[in-house]
Structures are given as C-alpha cells and as structure tokens.
Amino acid sequence: MTDLRATVEATGRILDLVRGSDVRRLVVRGEDVTIEIERSAPAAAAEAPAAVARQEEEPREEAATAVTAPLMGVFYQRPAPDQPPFVTVGQHVEAGEQVAIVEAMKMMNPVVAGRAGVVLRVNVADGDVVEFEQPLMELGAVG
Amino acid sequence: MERLLVANRGEIAVRIVRACRDLGIGSVVAYSSADRDSLAVRIADRSVHIGPAPARRSYNDIPSLLYACALTEADAVHPGYGFLSEEPLFATACAEVGVTFVGPSAKHIALMGNKLDARAAMRACGVPVLPGSDGPVESAHEAAEEAARIGYPLILKAVAGGGGRGMRVVRDPGELARTWEETRAVARTLFRDDRIYLERYVPRGRHIEVQILADSFGNVVDLGERDCTVQRRHQKLAEESPAPSLPGDLRERLRDAAVLGATSVEYVSAGTMEFLVSDEGEPYFLEMNTRLQVEHPVTEECTGIDLVEWMIRIARGEALPFGQRGPDLGRHAVEVRINAEDVARDWAGSTGRVERLRLPGGPGIRVDTHLYEGYVVPPFYDSLLAKIIATGPTREVALRRMDRALREFSCEGVVTNADFHRTLLSDEGFRAGDYRLDLVEDIVDRLCTTERSTT
C-alpha cells in the first residue's frame, strides 16, 4: 500500500507538470499498479483531467462503462459541423440518449448510451474511423 | 503495395497472411466478433473488428471492409474464397476507393457469375459446353419444350448459382414442372434471382478442373488439372492432381480448352475452369471460378508455384515468367478436407472447443489449418477445419502418405469427417483411380449397410 500511495503522490506531481500542456494520455505502470491519466479533448473539457488509479488485484472503484460503436464507420460528436456536440465531458446522460454518430456510406447511425451516467471521457476524435464495438466514450456512475 | 487487408477468415485467412509475410507486405485481418481469437488475427500484423458474427454485417459488408482499409491504410484487399470473392460490386468498390483488389476485374467476375453468359462466352470461342437452353426458361411449359429437345436426364440450374448450389436433377418428364418451381424458389432465396436454365445431365461423370494464372500482359499459364470427383451433394471432399487414368489425350484437351477460354475473354488473375467429363471421356465446360480455390495447394505441390503469391504479384502489375504450360515437378498430390461434420448424423455440422489437437507432419505432408488447442469452432460459417495435402513421386506413395497423416491426425472436442477419409482411401475404386461422381454416395450406402448388418 505504501508503494501505491507513493505512486499516487508521484503521479500527482507529474500531473502538475503536464497540467496546461496538450498531453492527452499518460500511463504509469508499476509491478502491480497501473496509473492512467488522460486529458480528453482539452478544448472542450477545461476541467481537471480524470485520474484513475487502480490496483490490478482488487479494483477499488466502480468500473466505468464504455459506449461502443454499433458498426464500423466514421465517428462524429455533433449532429452537424456547425452544431454543438451531443454531449461533453462531465455531462449527465440518460439511458437511450444519443451521444454521437457513426457514419457509414452517408447513413448517420445514432450512438446511444446503454445506461444513465456521467460522461467521463471521449476516446476518439471527430472524423476518426472506428471499429465495430470500439469504446467511444466512458460513462461513470450517476452523481 | 505495402499493406494487404484479408477480407476472409479461417484457414484461408491464415494462408493469405503467410503469403504477405513471404512477400514482405504488411497484413491486416478483418474479423467478426466470432473470430476475435482466430489464428489469423493472432499472426497478422494488425487486425480490425469489422462487425458482429453474421457474415451479412461483417465478412459480406463492403462498407465495413473499406473503412477497415482506410483505418489501417491497407492499399490492397485479398477476398479469399466464398464471402465477397465473387461479388463484382466489391471489386468495383475497391477500385473506386483506390484499393487494389487481388483478383480479376469486376467485369470478369460478373461474366462468369452469370452461368448463361459464361456458357455463351465459352461456346463462342470453341470450348465445349453441354447441350442446354440458351437462355432462362420463363415457364414450366417452355421448360418442358426445351427438355424434350435436350433429353432426359437433365439438370436445372440457377443462372446466378454456382459452387454446387441452386441445381436439381430431373430424371423423367413427370418431375419437371414441380422441380422447376422448387429450383426457382430456392434460387430466389439464395441468389435473389430466380432465372433457371436447363442442361443435359451427365450421370456418371467426373469433375475435373484446370488451374490457370493470367497476367495483365496477355500471358495465360495452365498449371495442370485437379480431379475433384470426390464430392457429396456437389461439395468437394478430396482432390488430386494429376487426374488418375484419363483416357487418350484428354488431359491436353482439358488444359488447352482452359487456356483458350481464359485467353478469349482476356481474363486476368488466378482462375479455375471446371469441366464435367462424361463416361465416354468427353469434356464439357461447367463454370469458371474467378477466385482462389480451397484446393489450390494440390496445384502448388505439383508445380512448386505459390498461387496466392502470384495472385498478389499479378495484381501489382508483374508479368508471369512461365511458358503456357506451367512448371510440372512430376509429383502426385492429394488433398482431403477435414470438416466439422458428423458423418454418422447425416453429415450435420458440429461445433465445439478443440481440447486436444495432433496435426500430422513428416515427408510429403502439408497441413493448412486455423486450428489450435483451445480454439472454439463457431457455428456461423462453413465447416472447413483443415486441409491435409499429401505429395509423393507417385499416386501410390501420395495415398500411402495421406493414410499415415490421417492416422496421426486427431482433434478432440469437435466431431470431424477424418474417419470418412480413411474409408475413402481404402475404397477399391478410389485406390484404382477409377471413380465417378457417385463414389461418396456409394461409400456411404455401404457404410450404412455394414452398420445395419452388424447391429
């Protein structure tokens, strides 16, 4: 546990160093510990980057649920280029709410949240080609 | 060409990844949810999850495959066999987005995909075809008129059919009207095209095909024939080359006809001309397969030519360095298809987890398979698990080696047809190299009789 605490503290210092930079993802792997830091879409999300510390043996927090791609195609966060995104990080969504689009052959296929939750992060950028069932965003517990 | 996407699964996906490695080309395997742990996925440079298990939304979904090319920057696609390999739309779509389709042009796929057009094209250049109706028959009445002209027995075939699907034999005029309706209904379901034509049926024929390679400079090379007479319900079970005991100059006539047919339509890529050879030794063109065949290793073992490699090299514009008659190493090769089929339960497909696997080896044995211990055979696709190819200086040696390989082969956890192949090898007619299309049926009948008399 002391190792874990030390690592968390070290990670906090690394976080301070990268805050305000354009670092999108940082992974620190120890022997039995993995720490990931990810700054998703910095322009849209100015809030503190999500920091997740977990011990591989016993996950201590409720796992986030991924919203996955319903088919292979191009990912879009907004209904049209001049419109705001369906959701932003930190936003609460209801089960069944549309959160993105995957376009295939000019067909706009809605991506819907499988459960209610808070958008923790968006994993892909607008215009990226995504695979079938690729995790597009992470939803955390409500409240 | 730097990176090739494999738009297929199973053993042929493994085979194509290996060809990419040998050529120094990157490989990407497109896979469905049912194949995420497949051998091809494991050995490829990269893999892309294109869709769920049903082929309609994965291996047969053109947009997903093209997005997969875009995502992985693949500049070529090999379609393997089955799935989209003979879909002209796929070849066209690849061309439109600037991806090299490793296969023939959409024009040739479409020509040979329409069995009536293929017949007409072959007849026009002097390749023998069976007597039949020149167009689709529009009514039961017209079918009866054509049938009277052609004579019985005859076979009803779907214009869009092929690969043994969408055809029915009619033995007497009384059956014609009903069989015509049934074949139409099947064709409508299978191919969304219910046009039917008639052809004379050759009862005790042999199925012999000729492998060709053609480049974009007009060179057509014939790589010899394969005897694919060991079939059950039009599905091949074993193949060998050269074809045993062909009368007179039939071998040369078949090979010449194949080259003539491919040359006259200006075909490019690997292709197979299938012929039916009558009991009297007359060859008739059946169809041309515009793709890599399952049984291609038989030809590879006899010629020393890597067919997958040459398909890729032709697609990137290389010329064939062989004469019209391709190399011949003077060997005999035979292949058996190990399928997940329960012969005792009327060849029903089986699935399951491969608990223990022992693959044969040693001199003259090649195994093309995607099996490994722990692999789960999914229920969604065809039943082919492995191909065992035995090669030797003579047919006798090749068959003996095959028997050795089948004794060594074991796959616990999944029911296979491996035992049937040992029965086939012990069959007198097969051993003598004198067998017809009714061979498998005969063997199965005899097996049933033995079972009944011993119980």
Side-chain angles (χ1 to χ4, degrees):
Chain A
M1 279 317 283
T2 43
D3 276 359
L4 175 64
R5 192 170 300 120
T7 316
V8 170
E9 278 165 17
T11 309
R13 289 196 294 275
I14 296 168
L15 205 56
D16 284 333
L17 290 173
V18 301
R19 184 164 285 138
S21 79
D22 56 358
V23 168
R24 264 198 73 182
R25 186 171 167 77
L26 178 70
V27 182
V28 181
R29 275 206 185 88
E31 217 158 66
D32 56 353
V33 154
T34 301
I35 292 176
E36 300 179 359
I37 297 168
E38 181 150 352
R39 306 205 61 189
S40 51
E47 44 278 278
V52 184
R54 68 166 188 266
Q55 198 159 8
E56 309 250 286
E57 250 69 326
E58 36 171 321
R60 285 145 55 102
E61 60 164 62
E62 195 200 330
T65 315
V67 180
T68 60
L71 77 170
M72 185 132 202
V74 185
F75 174 83
Y76 292 109
Q77 253 188 292
R78 40 193 95 225
D82 56 348
Q83 283 175 34
F86 288 103
V87 292
T88 50
V89 171
Q91 185 178 328
H92 175 87
V93 297
E94 296 296 337
E97 186 176 336
Q98 181 169 1
V99 296
I101 285 172
V102 171
E103 185 211 326
M105 303 303 279
K106 308 217 161 54
M107 290 284 290
M108 301 299 170
N109 303 277
V111 179
V112 296
R115 51 162 267 195
V118 174
V119 179
L120 295 181
R121 65 169 173 250
V122 181
N123 301 331
V124 282
D126 251 14
D128 278 0
V129 176
V130 293
E131 294 179 38
F132 178 60
E133 287 184 347
Q134 183 176 333
L136 302 174
M137 48 184 81
E138 307 292 333
L139 293 184
V142 185
Chain B
M1 198 183 291
E2 288 184 358
R3 195 172 296 137
L4 182 146
L5 181 130
V6 182
N8 215 302
R9 61 174 303 284
E11 66 87 19
I12 200 63
V14 172
R15 173 72 186 88
I16 298 165
V17 169
R18 286 176 175 155
C20 290
R21 279 268 140 77
D22 289 350
L23 283 165
I25 296 172
S27 57
V28 180
V29 164
Y31 66 95
S32 80
S33 304
D35 288 329
R36 60 176 94 232
D37 296 321
S38 75
L39 182 59
V41 166
R42 291 179 180 190
I43 67 170
D45 293 339
R46 206 179 153 176
S47 59
V48 185
H49 191 187
I50 50 165
R56 184 177 53 82
R57 286 195 55 204
S58 49
Y59 299 111
N60 282 336
D61 189 71
I62 295 174
S64 294
L65 289 162
L66 295 182
Y67 282 121
C69 289
L71 177 67
T72 59
E73 293 177 330
D75 51 5
V77 165
H78 197 304
Y81 50 69
F83 297 123
L84 292 172
S85 61
E86 290 177 290
E87 171 52 74
L89 263 179
F90 187 43
T92 305
C94 287
E96 273 172 9
V97 298
V99 169
T100 302
F101 179 79
V102 180
S105 68
K107 185 187 83 176
H108 286 121
I109 297 173
L111 171 69
M112 295 302 171
N114 182 311
K115 301 301 155 189
L116 276 173
D117 290 352
R119 258 177 70 94
M122 289 304 112
R123 197 173 42 191
C125 68
V127 172
V129 299
L130 282 163
S133 62
D134 292 332
V137 287
E138 307 290 347
S139 65
H141 175 71
E142 194 188 330
E145 278 182 358
E146 284 289 328
R149 189 176 62 79
I150 298 162
Y152 290 85
L154 50 83
I155 187 161
L156 301 182
K157 289 187 174 180
V159 171
R165 303 198 308 161
M167 54 172 90
R168 288 280 299 273
V169 177
V170 184
R171 296 186 190 277
D172 75 85
E175 301 170 9
L176 181 66
R178 191 172 46 89
T179 314
W180 182 74
E181 276 300 341
E182 286 169 5
T183 315
R184 267 184 67 175
V186 167
R188 202 178 301 135
T189 316
L190 283 180
F191 315 113
R192 278 184 239 112
D193 179 348
D194 65 1
R195 289 174 301 160
I196 301 295
Y197 68 103
L198 275 58
E199 225 174 52
R200 178 178 292 164
Y201 178 64
V202 175
R204 292 198 75 239
R206 299 173 65 172
H207 180 123
I208 298 176
E209 60 187 26
V210 179
Q211 175 71 54
I212 61 112
L213 273 178
D215 65 22
S216 38
F217 306 96
N219 301 308
V220 177
V221 176
D222 105 65
L223 296 174
E225 81 286 6
R226 292 183 292 254
D227 194 324
C228 306
T229 304
V230 183
Q231 304 187 357
R232 179 184 176 268
R233 299 197 179 157
H234 306 295
Q235 299 304 315
K236 298 167 188 168
L237 282 167
E239 305 91 354
E240 61 178 319
S241 182
S245 46
L246 283 188
D249 60 350
L250 185 54
R251 186 168 194 228
E252 276 59 46
R253 284 169 66 202
L254 285 165
R255 297 173 72 173
D256 288 343
V259 171
L260 174 64
T263 307
S264 66
V265 298
E266 296 175 343
Y267 188 80
V268 175
S269 190
T272 299
M273 301 271 284
E274 296 195 341
F275 296 92
L276 191 60
V277 174
S278 73
D279 226 8
E280 297 77 39
E282 281 307 309
Y284 300 101
F285 170 79
L286 273 182
E287 63 182 36
M288 181 176 189
N289 295 317
T290 54
R291 55 169 164 82
L292 187 65
Q293 304 259 130
V294 174
E295 59 273 25
H296 75 274
V298 168
T299 300
E300 292 183 327
E301 295 307 315
C302 289
T303 60
I305 288 179
D306 184 323
L307 280 164
V308 183
E309 176 189 324
W310 272 104
M311 279 184 87
I312 294 170
R313 292 174 71 168
I314 289 168
R316 66 182 187 196
E318 290 185 41
L320 290 162
F322 319 107
Q324 186 193 306
R325 284 271 195 267
D328 183 350
L329 302 177
R331 296 173 177 168
H332 193 96
V334 55
E335 170 187 278
V336 299
R337 301 188 187 191
I338 305 292
N339 294 335
E341 281 173 347
D342 191 345
V343 177
R345 290 180 48 230
D346 197 28
W347 305 71
S350 60
T351 60
R353 193 182 128 98
V354 178
E355 300 296 347
R356 292 173 73 108
L357 179 69
R358 189 171 60 223
L359 295 177
I365 296 299
R366 162 177 171 182
V367 183
D368 279 21
T369 184
H370 55 297
L371 291 183
Y372 57 83
E373 282 187 0
Y375 175 69
V376 177
V377 178
F380 306 101
Y381 314 109
D382 73 43
S383 59
L384 183 64
L385 297 179
K387 306 186 299 204
I388 302 177
I389 303 99
T391 308
T394 63
R395 183 170 190 265
E396 205 193 334
V397 174
L399 293 187
R400 211 178 299 143
R401 283 177 170 168
M402 180 62 87
D403 191 57
R404 158 177 40 103
L406 285 168
R407 280 170 196 260
E408 291 177 20
F409 176 83
S410 131
C411 176
E412 288 174 32
V414 181
V415 181
T416 76
N417 63 351
D419 283 346
F420 171 80
H421 289 301
R422 291 206 58 203
T423 311
L424 171 72
L425 286 179
S426 65
D427 180 84
E428 234 168 82
F430 182 74
R431 291 173 68 92
D434 179 25
Y435 55 96
R436 301 290 182 268
L437 283 162
D438 53 11
L439 174 71
V440 175
E441 225 171 287
D442 275 3
I443 293 176
V444 171
D445 283 352
R446 261 179 279 141
L447 282 178
C448 292
T449 317
T450 320
E451 239 166 61
R452 251 179 257 127
S453 58
T454 52
T455 49

